[in-house]
Amino acid sequence: MRIIYIARFDAGGNEDENAIAHALTQLGHDVQCIRESMGHNAYRLLPASFVLFHKWSDLKSLRRLPIPKVLFYFDLVDWPDPTLEARCAARRKWMEETLPHVDLGFLSDGDWVARDTTGKLVWLPQGADERTAGFGANSGHCTLCNASWAGTDLLFTGISGGGGQDRISFVEEMKSRYGRQFTHIPSGIHGRALADAIAHARIVVAPDSPVSDKYWSNRVYLMLGLGAFLLHPYCERLAQHYQDGREIIFYRSREHLHALIDYYLPKPELRQEIAAAGLRRTLREHTYTHRVRALVQTVQDRLSI
């Protein structure tokens, strides 16, 4: 298929857009990539089977394209935290304005999909970038965070305030309880540098918010795809992706998390065994190639392309 793909290519940070373009190409599709800032010229790339975009907000240009329009939205749309209300309101507004002009939408926010009344939305999580998946290079230096790594017991990478009050509370509790055993890298580390940081962390922890049975961060696939031993809050759907105790470790409360940390820290061989199994499952079932294959098949089935 010929696909026009409008996204923020090479914008720095996570390489989701480039990973998706790579996966589509690997599956044999003709992918015509164009930056969002130049999206008004997308009509020049016609003919095409459909247009794929993430957060493009040029509705005039979107309506101008006489082909099926497919959305793949990564972020959490809504969350009941007053500190996140302004952000959530902007995302709800974008959805309300954009969905009428979309033929089919894929969202990682399963709670928002469950509220959908249009029949256009499909739950689809993100995935690991198979171009960088694997164990870290163990170089001893993290170039993007400018820190030398002699090893850390507990690692969390992610913006603290971006997850609302509960995530801030989580980070502060981990700092208070574990002191120098806990390393928090708030931003600016991706790709192989992230892999190297994970290689020097005995345990990677995921915060307990924002998480639900139908939503979790793509951090799961990123971390497990880079060989992390991951402690993650229990999610009903995620438990269908990874086996608890064998490929991932789920915690049910913060006290449970602390008990799991105490149990697994002195067991390096068990941690390595579980991390390796999580990596194998990720490569087998949860890369962006798996996601875009499902996306394209659903587009073909639902839109008769």
Side-chain angles (χ1 to χ4, degrees):
M1 302 180 79
R2 182 178 171 88
I3 301 168
I4 297 175
Y5 184 19
I6 302 174
R8 295 178 66 239
F9 295 105
D10 303 314
N14 288 335
E15 289 284 309
D16 295 309
E17 293 86 352
N18 290 343
I20 289 171
H22 171 77
L24 286 167
T25 301
Q26 289 296 107
L27 290 173
H29 300 291
D30 176 8
V31 185
Q32 299 295 309
C33 297
I34 184 170
R35 294 176 183 269
E36 287 181 358
S37 59
M38 299 299 294
H40 57 279
N41 289 322
Y43 72 95
R44 296 179 179 176
L45 301 176
L46 296 171
S49 302
F50 66 90
V51 58
L52 175 66
F53 68 100
H54 300 297
K55 297 181 179 179
W56 193 33
S57 58
D58 186 349
L59 294 181
K60 181 179 179 180
S61 297
L62 181 66
R63 290 194 299 265
R64 185 181 185 183
L65 291 171
I67 56 176
K69 302 161 182 68
V70 177
L71 167 69
F72 188 7
Y73 192 86
F74 298 153
D75 290 335
L76 184 70
V77 179
D78 204 11
W79 191 254
D81 182 326
T83 66
L84 299 177
E85 175 53 29
R87 186 184 76 180
C88 292
R91 292 178 178 179
R92 293 194 300 266
K93 182 174 184 292
W94 186 89
M95 282 287 174
E96 292 167 0
E97 294 175 345
T98 305
L99 282 182
H101 310 289
V102 169
D103 296 284
L104 190 59
F106 298 86
L107 274 67
S108 63
D109 185 346
D111 294 301
W112 188 262
V113 172
R115 294 162 53 179
D116 175 49
T117 59
T118 68
K120 295 180 178 181
L121 300 185
V122 177
W123 176 71
L124 185 69
Q126 292 177 256
D129 184 349
E130 60 196 320
R131 300 172 305 168
T132 57
F135 288 106
N138 232 11
S139 64
H141 186 72
C142 171
T143 56
L144 289 184
C145 62
N146 194 29
S148 294
W149 289 86
T152 184
D153 285 338
L154 305 168
L155 174 68
F156 166 56
T157 69
I159 299 172
S160 180
Q165 295 173 327
D166 288 338
R167 184 182 290 183
I168 293 173
S169 167
F170 175 88
V171 172
E172 292 305 313
E173 181 174 322
M174 294 294 290
K175 288 180 179 178
S176 174
R177 186 171 185 123
Y178 296 102
R180 292 185 177 180
Q181 285 182 284
F182 175 68
T183 298
H184 176 212
I185 304 176
S187 62
I189 180 169
H190 308 282
R192 297 315 306 173
L194 176 61
D196 292 344
I198 290 172
H200 289 81
R202 295 170 181 85
I203 295 175
V204 175
V205 293
D208 52 11
S209 182
V211 174
S212 76
D213 283 332
K214 298 182 178 71
Y215 173 80
W216 51 87
S217 169
N218 192 42
R219 185 176 295 107
V220 175
Y221 307 110
L222 287 176
M223 297 301 181
L224 292 179
L226 292 172
F229 173 80
L230 179 64
L231 299 185
H232 193 280
Y234 176 79
C235 305
E236 183 178 353
R237 279 190 172 180
L238 183 57
Q240 299 170 12
H241 286 194
Y242 294 98
Q243 188 172 359
D244 189 14
R246 293 181 179 271
E247 299 164 331
I248 192 172
I249 306 298
F250 289 119
Y251 66 88
R252 270 72 174 176
S253 67
R254 291 189 185 179
E255 282 308 309
H256 187 211
L257 169 65
H258 302 318
L260 289 170
I261 289 171
D262 291 341
Y263 177 79
Y264 282 105
L265 261 181
K267 296 178 172 60
E269 293 181 358
L270 180 56
R271 293 198 313 269
Q272 179 64 22
E273 178 183 331
I274 293 171
L279 173 57
R280 288 195 299 269
R281 171 63 72 91
T282 302
L283 294 176
R284 191 167 66 245
E285 299 180 13
H286 301 299
T287 69
Y288 269 121
T289 294
H290 298 101
R291 301 301 185 242
V292 300
R293 181 184 288 116
L295 183 150
V296 171
Q297 185 62 57
T298 304
V299 169
Q300 292 175 316
D301 294 343
R302 294 276 293 270
L303 302 182
S304 300
I305 295 176

